[in-house]
């Protein structure tokens, strides 16, 4: 008789499935008794759930690209601050030189933010935001850079606008001239007001902005920015 038969006999009250379990245990015990110790242990199966990607990226060759944030950003062109056009005629070439001239001049008693040169060719006006603009009537200047004059407008520079960010040449078609500006005599400067000041000389007009340490010189057929 097989040594397994007594173990496999169904006994009253015992579930049928238990016979299978006992048979498996019995087989393992017999094999162990016979020296079979290298029986592999059954492996556990582990199921790992991986969430799918929320938004699949573009595949190669699909012709679709995701733009970087900087590609759509709107930027403002920087203000050119080192331009020199025409004959300088003794114009200051730096902020420190211009400030030295302005500080050495006496302020005009009756001239405030707006003025014109003794010849009337240059007029200047201070804006509500403390910017200063000076405009030449005769002797407009060819732009030193092709990007200064936008398409569809004037092709030459007639005005310089100064703020803390620098002095910007403007190819203007309008004017700031009213005809009622007081005269700022040669060798005189404007009354102190905010961070800007202007000086009138026989060679032209110099204006500076203390806040940004920038300025410009404007005369007939010439200007310098610094």
């Amino acid at each position: 008789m097989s040594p397994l038969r007594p173990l496999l006999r169904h006994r009253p009250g015992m579930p049928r499935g238990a016979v299978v379990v006992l048979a498996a245990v019995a087989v393992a015990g017999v094999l162990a008794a016979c020296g079979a110790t290298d029986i592999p242990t059954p492996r556990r199966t582990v199921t790992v759930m991986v969430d799918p990607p929320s938004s699949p990226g573009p595949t190669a060759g699909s012709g679709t690209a995701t733009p970087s944030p900087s590609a759509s950003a709107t930027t403002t062109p920087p203000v050119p601050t080192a331009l020199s056009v025409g004959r300088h005629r003794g114009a200051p070439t730096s902020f420190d030189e211009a400030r030295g001239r302005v500080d050495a001049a006496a302020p005009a008693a009756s001239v405030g933010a707006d003025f014109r040169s003794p010849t009337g060719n240059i007029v200047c006006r201070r804006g509500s935001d403390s910017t200063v603009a000076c405009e030449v009537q005769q002797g407009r200047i060819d732009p030193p850079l092709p990007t200064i004059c936008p398409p569809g407008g004037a092709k030459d520079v007639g005005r310089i606008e100064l703020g803390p960010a620098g002095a910007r040449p403007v190819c203007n078609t309008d004017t700031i001239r009213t005809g009622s500006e007081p005269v700022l005599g040669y060798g005189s400067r404007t009354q102190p007001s905010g961070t800007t000041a202007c000086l009138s000389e026989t060679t032209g007009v110099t204006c500076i902005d203390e806040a940004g340490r920038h300025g410009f010189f404007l005369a007939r057929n010439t200007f310098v920015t610094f």
Side-chain angles (χ1 to χ4, degrees):
M1 179 183 293
S2 171
L4 298 179
R5 187 174 298 277
L7 298 175
L8 299 178
R9 184 178 303 166
H10 181 265
R11 298 175 185 177
M14 179 184 297
R16 291 288 181 179
V19 176
V20 179
V21 176
L22 291 175
V25 175
V27 171
V30 171
L31 293 176
C34 295
T37 59
D38 57 347
I39 301 174
T41 303
R43 297 180 179 178
R44 293 187 303 166
T45 301
V46 180
T47 302
V48 179
M49 301 301 294
V50 179
D51 294 333
S54 59
S55 58
T59 58
S62 64
T64 302
T66 302
S68 60
S70 59
S72 59
T74 302
T75 57
T76 302
V79 178
T81 56
L83 300 177
S84 179
V85 184
R87 298 173 56 191
H88 297 173
R89 295 189 292 240
T93 58
S94 67
F95 172 80
D96 289 335
E97 181 182 354
R99 183 176 60 178
R101 294 190 186 184
V102 172
D103 291 344
S110 59
V111 179
D114 306 335
F115 66 91
R116 64 179 176 90
S117 63
T119 62
N121 191 46
I122 299 176
V123 295
C124 297
R125 184 174 299 278
R126 183 180 289 114
S128 59
D129 55 352
S130 296
T131 58
V132 172
C134 289
E135 185 177 291
V136 64
Q137 185 175 33
Q138 296 180 359
R140 293 172 64 96
I141 308 106
D142 291 334
L145 299 173
T147 56
I148 290 180
C149 293
K155 304 301 182 182
D156 49 10
V157 176
R159 185 162 67 224
I160 309 293
E161 296 177 354
L162 173 64
R168 183 187 298 275
V170 178
C171 304
N172 60 300
T173 56
D174 59 349
T175 182
I176 60 174
R177 185 182 301 270
T178 64
S180 59
E181 298 86 2
V183 175
L184 181 63
Y186 295 136
S188 300
R189 54 165 293 182
T190 56
Q191 290 284 342
S193 177
T195 62
T196 58
C198 293
L199 168 66
S200 175
E201 298 177 290
T202 57
T203 53
V205 172
T206 299
C207 294
I208 61 172
D209 187 300
E210 291 279 357
R213 293 180 59 83
H214 290 295
F216 69 86
F217 170 85
L218 178 64
R220 187 191 303 265
N221 299 317
T222 185
F223 73 82
V224 178
T225 64
F226 43 83

